[in-house]
């Protein structure tokens, strides 16, 4: 697990500022203005060239010790044990609180653009409990953040909260992403409820060359879905939203969190998806993240992956034999039948990915997504154990 923010020493900044950490390759690329970069004087090669480089108009410097910083120039200390920022990453320095935060990590498996804390659902297992606050300021922040991100970044995820509550601000963000990162896949996680009228959905037509919407659906009828999201009428709104997105020629993924009441009806749900939403490009069946509201609803939500094996196998087989792509997220390989391993993905963001001591001897650890860093024994499968030499071969036969 990596820290995303920490207290640091800093000087020379008067307001929150987004900055790209740069060494010689970032400087030589010429892709980013020096005024948006901090030169990393922790690198010995950079320090050797610093008498010349330091005279350039950098926004500031990353140092191990304040004495390394050029006189009267902004600086920040980022010790690896405090905040492991590396070249190419984007940090935000916040002088008011003497903190720095990692906003983009080069090479991370899932970089997030956080849109809003507001939401019109109240899901039982929400990992980011909503708050009704004014945070439209995030629109400008996200647009500013995308500018120092590597232009070869393969994908970014916009999430919340419910991003559509930004109104036209979400269009602005997506359009800006298309402008500064035209080759980056953009995945927007939304509950889909605000698309039903069709106007909002059509406003995204042609806005981004590689845009996909991740929409949750938790049952084949309104009772189950509305119960999970704790909002009457949500199922009908989401279904209208899905059809509106399809009409607007938007790409769609269905996301299903595998909590107990959903797993109990999963075969019916996947049949519903095939019959009613054949235009969906991908279905993600996802293990629960044990934080936020989920922790308060353990008894209602928890089902050991070992106890859902048969249902998962049946559901995956149903979808794949009908050419609906499906993946399994957030589930360690050892908790799954071998037949499902090809569908399991390393989906947990690497900054919150964790392995137990039992995983040390596992020969498939590098292929396994592991666990969430905040997993506790009551959220841990009884099937969790290392896969030993020879057992992997059996899994591939």
């Amino acid at each position: 697990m990596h820290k995303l923010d920490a207290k640091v020493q800093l000087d020379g900044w008067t307001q929150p500022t987004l900055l790209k950490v740069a060494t010689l390759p970032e400087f030589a690329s010429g892709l980013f203005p020096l005024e948006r970069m901090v030169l990393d004087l922790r690198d010995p090669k950079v320090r050797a060239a610093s008498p010349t480089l330091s005279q350039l108009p950098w926004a500031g410097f990353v140092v191990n010790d304040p004495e390394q910083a050029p006189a009267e120039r902004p600086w920040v200390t980022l010790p690896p044990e405090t905040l492991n920022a590396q070249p190419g990453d984007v940090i935000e320095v916040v002088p008011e609180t003497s903190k720095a935060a990692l906003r983009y990590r080069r090479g991370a498996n899932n970089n997030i653009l956080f849109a809003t804390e507001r939401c019109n659902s109240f899901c039982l297992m929400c990992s980011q409990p909503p708050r009704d606050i004014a945070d439209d300021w995030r629109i400008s922040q996200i647009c500013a953040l995308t500018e120092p991100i590597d232009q070869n970044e393969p994908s970014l995820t916009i999430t919340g909260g419910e991003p559509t509550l930004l109104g036209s601000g979400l269009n602005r963000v997506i359009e800006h992403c298309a402008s500064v990162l035209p080759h980056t896949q953009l995945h927007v996680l939304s509950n889909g409820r605000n698309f039903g009228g069709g106007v909002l959905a059509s406003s995204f037509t042609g806005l981004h060359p590689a845009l996909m919407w991740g929409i949750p659906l938790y049952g084949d009828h309104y009772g189950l879905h509305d119960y999970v999201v704790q909002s009457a009428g949500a199922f009908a709104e989401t279904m209208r939203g899905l059809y509106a997105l399809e009409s607007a020629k938007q790409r769609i993924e269905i996301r299903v969190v595998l909590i107990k009441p959903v797993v109990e009806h999963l075969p019916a749900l996947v049949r519903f998806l095939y019959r009613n939403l054949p235009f969906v490009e991908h279905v993600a069946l996802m293990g629960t993240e044990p934080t936020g509201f989920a922790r308060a609803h353990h008894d209602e939500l928890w089902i050991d992956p070992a106890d859902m094996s048969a249902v998962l196998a049946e559901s995956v087989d149903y979808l794949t034999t009908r050419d609906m792509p499906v993946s399994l997220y957030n589930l360690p390989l050892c908790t799954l039948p071998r037949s499902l391993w090809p569908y399991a993905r390393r989906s947990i963001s690497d900054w919150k990915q964790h392995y137990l001591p039992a995983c040390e001897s596992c020969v498939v650890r590098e292929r396994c997504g592991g666990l969430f860093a905040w997993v506790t024994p009551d959220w841990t499968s009884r099937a969790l154990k290392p896969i030993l030499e020879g057992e992997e071969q059996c899994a591939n036969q």
Side-chain angles (χ1 to χ4, degrees):
M1 180 176 175
H2 304 277
K3 287 185 177 180
L4 294 187
D5 62 76
K7 283 279 189 180
V8 295
Q9 290 181 281
L10 55 84
D11 188 52
W13 282 282
T14 59
Q15 60 186 8
T17 307
L18 290 162
L19 303 156
K20 190 171 190 70
V21 179
T23 53
L24 298 179
E26 288 73 35
F27 168 65
S29 73
L31 294 174
F32 307 99
L34 296 180
E35 295 82 359
R36 297 290 302 275
M37 294 197 289
V38 282
L39 183 63
D40 192 350
L41 293 179
R42 300 171 301 175
D43 186 320
K45 293 181 180 179
V46 174
R47 285 202 302 274
S50 66
T52 301
L53 283 178
S54 297
Q55 298 175 25
L56 298 174
W58 302 97
F61 301 87
V62 178
V63 296
N64 290 318
D65 186 281
E67 293 183 0
Q68 289 180 337
E72 299 182 0
R73 300 286 295 277
W75 56 267
V76 59
T77 62
L78 298 175
E81 67 275 10
T82 302
L83 194 70
N84 191 26
Q86 298 296 313
D89 294 351
V90 178
I91 63 170
E92 182 178 21
V93 295
V94 186
E96 185 177 55
T97 57
S98 296
K99 296 187 77 172
L102 270 170
R103 299 303 185 199
Y104 165 78
R105 295 176 54 242
R106 174 181 285 176
N109 67 340
N110 189 20
N111 276 295
I112 296 294
L113 304 177
F114 189 77
T116 180
E117 293 191 55
R118 291 171 286 155
C119 192
N120 53 344
S121 292
F122 216 66
C123 300
L124 291 172
M125 64 295 184
C126 180
S127 61
Q128 180 68 46
R131 294 199 302 159
D132 188 13
I133 60 173
D135 56 0
D136 285 352
W137 56 268
R138 293 183 186 275
I139 299 167
S140 296
Q141 184 195 51
I142 293 173
C143 290
L145 172 58
T146 58
E147 293 169 4
I149 287 177
D150 293 342
Q151 294 182 6
N152 63 351
E153 174 60 37
S155 65
L156 294 169
T157 299
I158 297 177
T159 187
E162 172 49 46
T164 60
L165 294 179
L166 292 179
S168 61
L170 181 58
N171 299 69
R172 176 183 161 193
V173 166
I174 291 174
E175 190 171 28
H176 193 74
C177 288
S179 174
V180 300
L181 298 167
H183 306 297
T184 298
Q185 300 279 330
L186 199 61
H187 202 65
V188 185
L189 305 185
S190 165
N191 58 38
R193 295 174 58 189
N194 289 331
F195 292 114
V199 175
L200 179 59
S202 63
S203 71
F204 295 100
T205 301
L207 203 59
H208 191 285
L211 175 63
M212 177 176 277
W213 300 90
I215 310 291
L217 201 65
Y218 297 121
D220 63 322
H221 60 90
Y222 76 92
L224 179 53
H225 182 87
D226 290 3
Y227 164 70
V228 172
V229 305
Q230 294 288 286
S231 183
F235 178 81
E237 291 172 345
T238 297
M239 288 301 298
R240 286 194 292 267
L242 287 165
Y243 287 124
L245 287 168
E246 161 63 8
S247 180
K249 304 187 184 306
Q250 297 294 293
R251 300 169 61 213
I252 302 168
E253 171 192 69
I254 294 294
R255 298 167 71 87
V256 182
V257 179
L258 298 168
I259 57 175
K260 182 161 57 177
V262 172
V263 173
E264 291 170 349
H265 295 86
L266 190 60
L269 174 57
V270 297
R271 284 165 172 76
F272 179 87
L273 295 179
Y274 174 70
R275 294 167 181 165
N276 295 278
L277 302 169
F279 48 81
V280 166
E281 289 194 20
H282 181 247
V283 177
L285 305 178
M286 310 170 63
T288 308
E289 182 172 0
T291 189
F293 287 156
R295 295 176 66 182
H297 299 113
H298 174 272
D299 292 345
E300 298 168 70
L301 305 181
W302 169 246
I303 178 170
D304 192 318
D307 295 327
M308 62 173 91
S309 295
V311 170
L312 277 182
E314 175 188 344
S315 300
V316 168
D317 180 69
Y318 181 88
L319 293 171
T320 55
T321 56
R322 289 158 179 80
D323 297 321
M324 289 191 80
V326 58
S327 298
L328 301 176
Y329 291 171
N330 311 344
L331 295 169
L333 290 177
C334 60
T335 67
L336 297 171
R338 301 300 199 268
S339 62
L340 293 181
W341 283 18
Y343 304 97
R345 309 289 176 245
R346 289 175 58 93
S347 54
I348 298 175
S349 298
D350 51 11
W351 70 269
K352 55 184 176 181
Q353 188 181 51
H354 176 68
Y355 296 91
L356 296 179
C359 304
E360 291 297 325
S361 60
C362 184
V363 296
V364 297
R365 172 171 167 158
E366 296 305 312
R367 292 161 47 191
C368 178
L371 303 157
F372 288 99
W374 26 83
V375 73
T376 55
D378 57 342
W379 290 95
T380 302
S381 173
R382 67 178 186 276
L384 198 137
K385 64 176 184 177
I387 304 298
L388 304 178
E389 199 73 44
E391 294 179 348
E392 179 191 17
Q393 296 302 318
C394 293
N396 292 329
Q397 291 176 357

